[in-house]
Amino acid sequence: MSGPAAVVLLSGGLDSATTLAVARHEGYHAHALSFRYGQRHTIELEAARRVAAALGAAEHVVADIDLRLFGGSALTGDMEVPKARTADEIGDGIPVTYVPARNTIFLSYALAWAEVLGARDIFIGVNALDYSGYPDCRPEFIAAFQRVANLATRIGVESGEVRIRTPLIDLTKAEIIRLGRSLGVDYSLTATCYDPDQHGVACGQCDACLLRLKGFAEAGLSDPIPYKSRPVRERAGPGDSYPNG
Ligand code: ZN
């Protein structure tokens, strides 16, 4: 393998798998980084491992950091994951599945690794359209973190070229799925659900499942993963939409 090195944040979900495929397609030697951060389930880490292997990542590292020390999120703490929310509810404010400062923490780890690797590119699959209202998925945040990255590191000071790459930032979920399909992503390997059962079967009702199912429906494709139940509104017409779609 040749090509420049890049660090790719890989959660095991649909967006990060597509982002890894973009990095590989652009010729990067992709160093995939996942986190065991105290999330409710580790099914997504198994998915990340499968995706990294399938898409030819140069290596896949899982960093252990325990965000349960602080809690404050339905994904790490003892709050319930909201289910079957309406379009208005999903669009209203920052949900309890937000993990405090998670992307800042993840990007900081990615930056440290990138500096060691001599990699000037860090890929993250944030998306400003079909997202759940998280502040650390916005373009303003990414631009600000890129400034930090170049101020904070030797590689940034000496080269001024660290880039936070967000190839999905302006895409709808349907466009992300079409892009990934065109790059050979096997979405049956990915895991998106915030609250899967003990066998890893997606709930079909959390915000992440709803956005994913809506994306496949709008792309005119069927989602290859199994669901415990699917929302009734998935079968509704195109006039029925979730926010930002
Ligand atoms: Zn779910």
Side-chain angles (χ1 to χ4, degrees):
M1 275 192 276
S2 59
V7 175
V8 181
L9 290 171
L10 184 67
S11 71
L14 184 155
D15 292 343
S16 68
T18 307
T19 300
L20 174 58
V22 170
R24 295 287 296 128
H25 182 70
E26 291 186 11
Y28 285 95
H29 200 64
H31 299 259
L33 178 60
S34 305
F35 295 88
R36 191 179 291 104
Y37 64 88
Q39 57 267 62
R40 297 167 68 97
H41 62 85
T42 54
I43 284 155
E44 63 188 32
L45 291 175
E46 293 163 29
R49 184 178 49 75
R50 292 193 299 262
V51 168
L55 291 174
E59 61 180 321
H60 178 219
V61 164
V62 179
D64 275 292
I65 54 172
D66 191 358
L67 298 182
R68 284 174 304 188
L69 291 169
F70 311 135
S73 170
L75 297 193
T76 55
D78 43 14
M79 286 178 267
E80 288 293 311
V81 172
K83 296 289 172 67
R85 299 205 300 159
T86 65
D88 284 347
E89 287 168 341
I90 292 178
D92 184 23
I94 299 167
V96 297
T97 49
Y98 167 68
V99 179
R102 182 173 60 182
N103 280 350
T104 308
I105 294 165
F106 287 3
L107 281 169
S108 297
Y109 270 72
L111 178 60
W113 197 18
E115 179 153 38
V116 173
L117 291 166
R120 290 192 166 81
D121 292 272
I122 296 168
F123 283 80
I124 180 169
V126 293
N127 174 249
L129 287 176
D130 283 331
Y131 79 132
S132 292
Y134 300 145
D136 53 0
C137 290
R138 294 178 297 167
E140 305 93 294
F141 163 72
I142 295 299
F145 191 89
Q146 182 169 290
R147 281 205 67 215
V148 168
N150 283 294
L151 289 169
T153 56
R154 183 171 60 203
I155 193 173
V157 168
E158 293 179 354
S159 75
E161 288 179 336
V162 177
R163 295 191 299 171
I164 310 299
R165 302 285 309 280
T166 58
L168 313 185
I169 194 102
D170 294 325
L171 302 184
T172 65
K173 197 65 91 183
E175 289 170 337
I176 291 167
I177 291 164
R178 287 196 205 99
L179 172 63
R181 283 290 182 93
S182 75
L183 298 176
V185 176
D186 178 357
Y187 287 117
S188 73
L189 303 179
T190 64
T192 297
C193 181
Y194 289 148
D195 192 21
D197 71 12
Q198 67 271 29
H199 306 296
V201 176
C203 76
Q205 303 290 335
C206 70
D207 293 0
C209 282
L210 295 176
L211 285 168
R212 175 176 171 130
L213 284 164
K214 171 176 165 283
F216 273 96
E218 288 179 0
L221 298 165
S222 65
D223 190 342
I225 67 167
Y227 285 88
K228 191 173 169 189
S229 68
R230 292 192 181 219
V232 173
R233 66 179 56 227
E234 190 206 346
R235 296 191 291 271
D240 175 41
S241 67
Y242 292 95
N244 308 314

